[in-house]
């Protein structure tokens, strides 16, 4: 394993916009990734296995619900701190960031926002430390970009609900202790229920043969007449707007995370280009390589500014869903293009596990699709600026 020599680019001195707390949170996460993730992640990606031993450390650096109030076990941090943690974790690996952001934004967030006080006290402190791991059940085999068409449903049986259906492409599913599941009641209204591992009829088969997010555990959620206690329904909000609020939080985290992946690819390519000698000089001295590097740092800087401003808006409660969509789409697209260019700069070495670039490139093929595809986010922006939805 090559030593992790990562140095974060900050071409426009964005550190000047951060508080001392922001920088402390980020630097703590960065040091943890260098120490605990970088030395092992290539091996786990090759084996298509999630390194469960890092869960405790993720909790310790605030990787689980950093903005959740301290009374529920969270760190009580602001949205920029959350983003910086996601940036640093995804610099290590998108799959590890997926584990973290699912736990934070898709499991802890809805329990905090829509759950009862009893649910908050029961689940959030254990989710914050990683003692409990969670997953989020929205996407179905036939309904991805159109989640309102879901067929997973539950019926009121008097003293409990009876849940039936299936979800797929679920991060953390194979080992999750709880699942926040979105399903329709008998009137067709979408509600969130907390389903616990061990409930009869609830299974989580793992998804194999992935070329992407190989160090992340992905699976299905199968509900075959699962009896869910009535106290496990989250009463605070119903309708499709509830899971969409969760996705807003997760997409915001992805916008930051993608910058981390792009930074790692850029930093690797820059360092390699200074060391690799061809035609008697480093390849960094050739115009085409400098063009690639200059475009990379420009796009990273634009994404940093976009996302920092979005974080300020999130802190002020002003950020819109469409603004979050723009940042998610732009930054992931930026990162995947940088990964491809960086891979070319390394030549044949770029496809090996000795460097992180090909792994990032493969991972970003999932990130550009999940939690709203590249095209869907374009249409969200289009609908916002024209007032005319074009989804169908």
């Amino acid at each position: 394993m090559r030593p992790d020599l990562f140095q974060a680019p900050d071409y426009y001195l964005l550190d000047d916009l951060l508080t001392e707390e922001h920088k402390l949170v980020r630097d703590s996460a960065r040091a943890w990734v260098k120490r605990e993730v970088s030395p092992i992640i290539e091996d786990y990606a090759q084996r298509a296995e999630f390194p469960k031993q890092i869960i405790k450390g993720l909790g310790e650096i605030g990787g689980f619900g950093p903005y959740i109030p301290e009374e529920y076990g969270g760190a009580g941090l602001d949205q920029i701190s959350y983003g910086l943690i996601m940036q640093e974790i995804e610099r290590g690996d998108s799959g590890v960031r997926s584990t973290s952001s699912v736990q934070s934004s898709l499991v802890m967030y809805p329990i905090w926002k829509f759950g009862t006080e009893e649910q908050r006290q029961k689940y959030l402190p254990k989710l914050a430390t990683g003692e409990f791991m969670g997953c989020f059940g929205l996407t179905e085999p036939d309904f991805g970009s159109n989640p309102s068409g879901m067929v997973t449903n539950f019926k009121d049986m008097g003293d409990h609900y009876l849940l039936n259906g299936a979800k797929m492409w679920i991060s953390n599913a194979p080992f999750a202790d709880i699942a926040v599941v979105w399903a329709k009641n008998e009137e067709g209204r979408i509600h969130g229920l907390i389903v616990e591992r061990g409930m009869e009829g609830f299974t989580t088969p793992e998804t194999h043969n992935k070329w992407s997010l190989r160090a992340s555990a992905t699976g299905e959620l199968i509900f075959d007449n699962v009896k869910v206690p009535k106290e496990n329904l989250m009463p605070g909000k119903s309708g499709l707007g509830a899971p969409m609020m969760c996705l807003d939080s997760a997409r915001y985290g992805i916008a930051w995370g993608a910058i981390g992946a792009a930074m790692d690819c850029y930093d690797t390519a820059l360092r390699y280009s200074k060391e690799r000698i061809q035609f008697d000089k480093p390849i960094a001295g050739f115009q085409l390589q400098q063009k690639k590097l200059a475009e990379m740092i420009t796009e990273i800087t634009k994404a940093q500014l976009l996302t920092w401003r979005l974080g300020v808006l999130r802190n002020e409660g002003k950020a819109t869903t469409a603004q979050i969509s723009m940042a998610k789409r732009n930054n992931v697209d930026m990162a995947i293009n940088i990964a491809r260019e960086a891979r070319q700069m390394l030549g044949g070495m770029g496809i090996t596990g000795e460097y992180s670039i090909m792994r990032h490139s493969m991972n970003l093929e999932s990130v550009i699709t999940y939690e709203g595809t590249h095209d869907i986010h374009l249409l969200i922006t289009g609908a916002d600026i024209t007032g005319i939805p074009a989804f169908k």
Side-chain angles (χ1 to χ4, degrees):
M1 175 66 200
R2 295 175 66 88
D4 186 344
L5 302 175
F6 174 72
Q7 291 184 301
D10 185 12
Y11 203 72
Y12 263 43
L13 307 182
L14 266 76
D15 268 19
D16 291 352
L17 299 174
L18 303 178
T19 66
E20 290 305 311
E21 182 178 63
H22 291 152
K23 287 182 276 192
L24 178 62
V25 167
R26 180 200 61 197
D27 293 348
S28 297
R30 183 174 296 165
W32 179 82
V33 168
K34 285 193 173 193
R35 185 177 66 251
E36 303 294 338
V37 178
S38 298
I40 66 169
I41 198 63
E42 298 294 347
D43 180 51
Y44 276 86
Q46 291 283 358
R47 289 192 277 132
E49 183 181 340
F50 174 72
K52 291 183 182 178
Q53 70 271 24
I54 69 172
I55 288 175
K56 184 174 185 289
L58 278 170
E60 290 171 349
I61 63 165
F64 299 142
Y67 49 78
I68 299 293
E70 293 181 62
E71 64 185 291
Y72 300 120
L77 299 173
D78 73 350
Q79 289 292 301
I80 290 176
S81 291
Y82 168 52
L84 288 165
I85 293 170
M86 295 302 104
Q87 171 186 284
E88 295 306 313
I89 294 174
E90 188 144 4
R91 204 278 300 176
D93 187 75
S94 299
V96 177
R97 198 269 309 140
S98 294
T99 296
S100 178
S101 61
V102 165
Q103 182 93 331
S104 298
S105 291
L106 303 183
V107 180
M108 297 177 73
Y109 179 88
I111 293 173
W112 173 43
K113 286 290 187 181
F114 316 137
T116 64
E117 184 61 23
E118 290 73 22
Q119 290 168 349
R120 295 185 194 111
Q121 296 288 351
K122 179 179 180 181
Y123 298 111
L124 291 178
K126 291 183 177 180
L127 289 164
T129 63
E131 181 182 347
F132 279 3
M133 292 300 295
C135 63
F136 175 85
L138 182 64
T139 299
E140 297 190 357
D142 295 319
F143 298 97
S145 294
N146 177 27
S148 64
M150 70 172 65
V151 296
T152 299
N153 65 91
F154 64 98
K155 295 180 180 178
D156 190 334
M157 306 302 289
D159 61 346
H160 65 274
Y161 298 119
L162 199 63
L163 178 65
N164 281 283
K167 305 289 183 177
M168 72 181 306
W169 302 120
I170 310 300
S171 295
N172 301 357
F175 58 76
D177 300 287
I178 67 169
V180 171
V181 179
W182 301 94
K184 290 180 177 176
N185 65 9
E186 289 159 279
E187 289 74 46
R189 184 74 176 173
I190 295 171
H191 290 265
L193 303 107
I194 301 170
V195 181
E196 299 182 14
R197 183 170 297 281
M199 290 182 175
E200 189 175 352
F202 174 41
T203 54
T204 59
E206 187 164 2
T207 302
H208 296 288
N209 298 322
K210 298 181 299 177
W211 288 111
S212 182
L213 297 181
R214 289 173 60 81
S216 175
T218 309
E220 302 173 58
L221 305 177
I222 309 296
F223 314 105
D224 182 10
N225 288 324
V226 179
K227 293 181 179 179
V228 181
K230 287 200 165 181
E231 60 266 25
N232 282 32
L233 183 139
M234 294 182 293
K237 188 173 177 64
S238 63
L240 192 59
M244 290 299 104
M245 284 177 64
C246 305
L247 288 171
D248 273 354
S249 180
R251 290 164 176 169
Y252 167 74
I254 290 171
W256 281 91
I259 295 174
M263 283 178 167
D264 197 59
C265 292
Y266 164 78
D267 182 65
T268 301
L270 177 61
R271 185 175 294 106
Y272 184 88
S273 71
K274 292 178 178 179
E275 298 169 352
R276 175 66 168 164
I277 306 297
Q278 291 289 283
F279 304 105
D280 301 321
K281 69 176 182 179
I283 63 172
F286 293 102
Q287 290 182 355
L288 287 177
Q289 305 310 313
Q290 289 192 7
K291 175 182 183 291
K292 287 182 171 66
L293 291 167
E295 289 176 342
M296 287 180 199
I297 191 58
T298 301
E299 294 305 313
I300 288 170
T301 301
K302 288 156 64 176
Q304 287 174 317
L305 289 164
L306 177 71
T307 312
W308 174 81
R309 177 58 184 159
L310 183 61
V312 172
L313 292 173
R314 287 277 290 176
N315 280 339
E316 296 173 350
K318 295 178 181 177
T320 67
T321 293
Q323 288 169 336
I324 294 168
S325 282
M326 176 183 284
K328 191 271 185 182
R329 185 203 61 81
N330 178 82
N331 291 9
V332 180
D333 185 61
M334 172 275 299
I336 205 167
N337 288 328
I338 285 177
R340 289 167 181 161
E341 290 290 276
R343 207 293 303 158
Q344 289 194 59
M345 289 186 66
L346 268 68
M349 292 305 296
I351 71 166
T352 71
E354 189 172 351
Y355 296 91
S356 62
I357 293 173
M358 196 67 185
R359 176 171 50 81
H360 282 306
S361 188
M362 292 191 299
N363 284 343
L364 289 164
E365 291 290 349
S366 288
V367 182
I368 206 166
T369 294
Y370 69 24
E371 296 187 29
T373 68
H374 181 77
D375 291 346
I376 286 292
H377 285 301
L378 279 172
L379 293 181
I380 290 171
T381 303
D384 192 51
I385 60 178
T386 64
I388 307 170
F391 299 101
K392 57 184 178 179

